[in-house]
Amino acid sequence: MNKGRILINRNICDNAKECGGIEVCSEIAKALFWDEKNQQIAYDAELCIDCEKCVDECPVGAILYAKTEEKYRQIENEIKFDEEKLKKLQVERYGASPIEECISIDELDNWLKEQDEISILLLELFNDDSINCLLHSIKVADIQAVVQGNSKYTKVQLNSVEDIKNPIIKELPSLLIYKNNVLLGKIDGYYDESGKDEFFNKIKEIVK
Ligand code: SF4
């Protein structure tokens, strides 16, 4: 290896098309890119110019740089035995690959009937267009702390708002809040860390 190379720690990478590393590289070398065929972030070492700018773009350190072959092998080994998993980051709300299994909109009615032992249900309706970088996501654990008590968060995947029979939903993502299987309210639209206070206040209003 006569030049540096990038490694991606896929244990903690959320594999989002919106990856900041891809964005910065697209203006420099296009070495880091979205591979449409394999639906994943890919890397072409031939195009890489060793600028390391993509490394700085990943706040969880999923993009790593090795200057030498020895360093490359060392990092590769560290990734292999790295026990840090995406789930531990607890930021799956807007992630590209839902950590917990999500359900489809067609399954929703039946699924709801099976959840009667859960006091508060938080259902996140989303489609591919409403996925954003999970690094800016509000942690699901924090949302559950706001509602308190016995709660469950589940993502519901659909193609578009037109797939929803309920006309009150106009925008995706939309967070539906149920208590004892009764819909208390919903919060439409994307909220990231910067809108956390507003988002939490809306939740408190709904569940009070
Ligand atoms: S080191 Fe620079 S050129 Fe190489 S993948 Fe990262 S941003 Fe692109």
Side-chain angles (χ1 to χ4, degrees), residues 24-57:
V24 74
C25 192
S26 69
E27 292 160 14
I28 304 165
K30 297 189 172 47
L32 204 60
F33 59 96
W34 178 253
D35 178 351
E36 200 61 51
K37 187 171 163 227
N38 296 309
Q39 291 290 298
Q40 66 173 11
I41 296 172
Y43 170 65
D44 185 338
E46 293 294 316
L47 298 175
C48 181
I49 58 162
D50 293 6
C51 69
E52 295 183 60
K53 289 195 173 155
C54 54
V55 176
D56 299 334
E57 288 300 317

